[in-house]
């Protein structure tokens, strides 16, 4: 868990993962109160595209190019799948990648 920063007062975020033969799944828990726009980001290597992976997540899912650091201080191009939604905190977002 970590603090979200100054964007939300005293809000925290916790992400849990589960890896199975079917793929990777997890839950993002966002703590706090009130209604907020949230973004959940999945940083994926450049070879992974929206055609080669299935991401199940409620709400709007958009794709952008981004930089990734596979090792310290070495950045490479990648893809970022971003889930965006307006939610009332606290909330739980379940997702899976196959």
């Amino acid at each position: 868990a970590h603090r979200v920063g100054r964007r939300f007062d005293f809000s925290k975020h916790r992400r849990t993962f589960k890896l199975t033969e079917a793929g990777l799944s997890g839950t993002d828990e966002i703590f706090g109160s009130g209604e907020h726009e949230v973004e959940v980001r999945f940083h994926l290597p450049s070879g992974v595209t929206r055609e080669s992976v299935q991401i199940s997540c409620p709400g709007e899912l958009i794709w952008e190019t981004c930089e990734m650091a596979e090792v310290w201080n070495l950045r490479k191009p990648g893809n970022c799948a971003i889930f965006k939604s307006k939610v009332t905190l606290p909330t739980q977002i379940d997702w899976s990648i196959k």
Side-chain angles (χ1 to χ4, degrees), residues 5 9 20 23 26 32 43 55 57 62 68 70 73 78 80 89 95 97-98:
D9 291 333
T20 65
H43 295 269
I55 299 179
C57 202
I62 61 172
M68 297 182 57
E70 294 178 358
N73 207 25
C80 192
L89 300 183
W95 51 268
I97 301 174
K98 299 181 191 300

Side-chain angles (χ1 to χ4, degrees), residues 36-97:
H36 299 275
E37 289 281 337
V38 297
E39 290 185 2
V40 176
R41 294 175 175 264
F42 303 98
H43 295 269
L44 305 166
S46 61
V48 178
T49 64
R50 75 172 64 194
E51 292 80 23
S52 64
V53 69
Q54 176 187 352
I55 299 179
S56 299
C57 202
E60 179 186 11
L61 189 64
I62 61 172
W63 287 77
E64 294 179 356
T65 57
C66 63
E67 287 188 330
M68 297 182 57
E70 294 178 358
V71 296
W72 177 256
N73 207 25
L74 178 61
R75 294 185 178 146
K76 294 184 176 184
N79 292 308
C80 192
I82 306 166
F83 154 76
K84 293 184 177 186
S85 183
K86 191 170 199 169
V87 298
T88 301
L89 300 183
T91 193
Q92 178 175 312
I93 301 165
D94 297 312
W95 51 268
S96 64
I97 301 174

